């Protein structure tokens, strides 16, 4: 008995076909990597902006609630945020003192900077939460994301992007 094998076309892929498919997968994968990296950088930038907004809201909330830290404090005090060079910002109890142990210091990281001239302070009044200044704070990162945080004289905090 003879068994006859009949070849019905190629039973595999040629080297050229495999190289073409791997090349297409590499191009598609590279596109998705770039997209995901940009999304991640946007996420980091928004997180930095949210940290600044949170610090401003925390200081305003402390002022409205008439909070006072320290043993010698009895009547509440204004609170504020001080922005310093190097991306540091400090939630403080007025008047600002760098040696006050109740200060909450935070820093910007991930390539985000405040473009305004520093140092500057924004202080919120007791009980009313009114701001000492009406000001815009502009933050940018090293790939071009920009956000503006606005504080009006009534203490309202708004931001873009």
């Amino acid at each position: 008995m003879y068994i006859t094998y009949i070849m019905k076309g190629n039973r595999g892929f040629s080297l050229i076909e495999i190289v073409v498919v791997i090349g297409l997968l590499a191009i598609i994968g590279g596109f998705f990597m770039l997209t995901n990296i940009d999304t991640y950088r946007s996420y980091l930038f928004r997180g930095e902006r949210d940290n600044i907004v949170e610090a401003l809201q925390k200081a305003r909330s402390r002022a409205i609630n008439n909070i006072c830290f320290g043993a010698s404090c009895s009547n509440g005090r204004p609170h504020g945020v001080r922005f310093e060079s190097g991306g540091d910002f400090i939630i403080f109890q007025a008047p600002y003192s760098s040696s006050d142990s109740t200060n909450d210091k935070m820093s910007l990281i991930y390539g985000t900077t405040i473009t305004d001239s520093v140092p500057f302070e924004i202080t919120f009044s007791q009980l009313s939460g009114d701001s000492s200044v009406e000001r815009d704070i502009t933050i940018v990162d090293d790939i071009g994301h920009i956000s503006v945080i606005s504080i009006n004289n009534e203490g309202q905090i708004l931001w873009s992007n």
Side-chain angles (χ1 to χ4, degrees):
M1 205 183 319
Y2 293 100
I3 300 176
T4 312
Y5 292 102
I6 302 173
M7 298 289 286
K8 293 187 178 182
N10 257 342
R11 292 197 182 258
F13 299 106
S14 71
L15 182 60
I16 294 175
E17 291 170 330
I18 292 172
V19 169
V20 168
V21 169
I22 290 174
L24 288 173
L25 289 176
I27 290 170
I28 292 169
F31 174 74
F32 285 118
M33 278 290 265
L34 290 175
T35 304
N36 286 336
I37 289 171
D38 189 45
T39 302
Y40 180 68
R41 294 293 301 262
S42 297
Y43 171 77
L44 291 177
F45 178 76
R46 286 190 307 274
E48 295 282 36
R49 182 217 44 225
D50 292 347
N51 284 340
I52 294 172
V53 170
E54 179 184 347
L56 290 164
Q57 289 173 337
K58 187 175 187 179
R60 185 169 188 259
S61 176
R62 286 178 178 178
I64 288 173
N65 290 309
N66 210 26
I67 293 176
C68 188
F69 299 114
S72 63
C73 195
S74 61
N75 260 351
R77 288 206 182 143
H79 290 262
V81 179
R82 178 180 173 88
F83 294 88
E84 297 183 335
S85 61
D88 295 336
F89 52 102
I90 302 162
I91 302 172
F92 66 90
Q93 174 176 279
Y96 174 75
S97 169
S98 62
S99 62
D100 191 345
S101 63
T102 63
N103 291 347
D104 293 333
K105 185 175 182 177
M106 300 177 207
S107 295
L108 294 174
I109 49 178
Y110 305 120
T112 305
T113 56
I114 298 171
T115 61
D116 306 346
S117 60
V118 288
F120 65 90
E121 297 176 7
I122 298 172
T123 306
F124 299 99
S125 301
Q126 289 173 258
L127 301 175
S128 68
D130 292 344
S131 173
S132 60
V133 293
E134 191 167 314
R135 183 170 189 126
D136 290 339
I137 302 168
T138 305
I139 60 170
V140 298
D141 70 1
D142 52 2
I143 62 168
H145 294 112
I146 299 173
S147 185
V148 177
I149 302 167
S150 300
I151 300 101
N152 67 15
N153 58 356
E154 294 175 350
Q156 183 181 27
I157 303 163
L158 304 170
W159 61 92
S160 67
N161 286 343

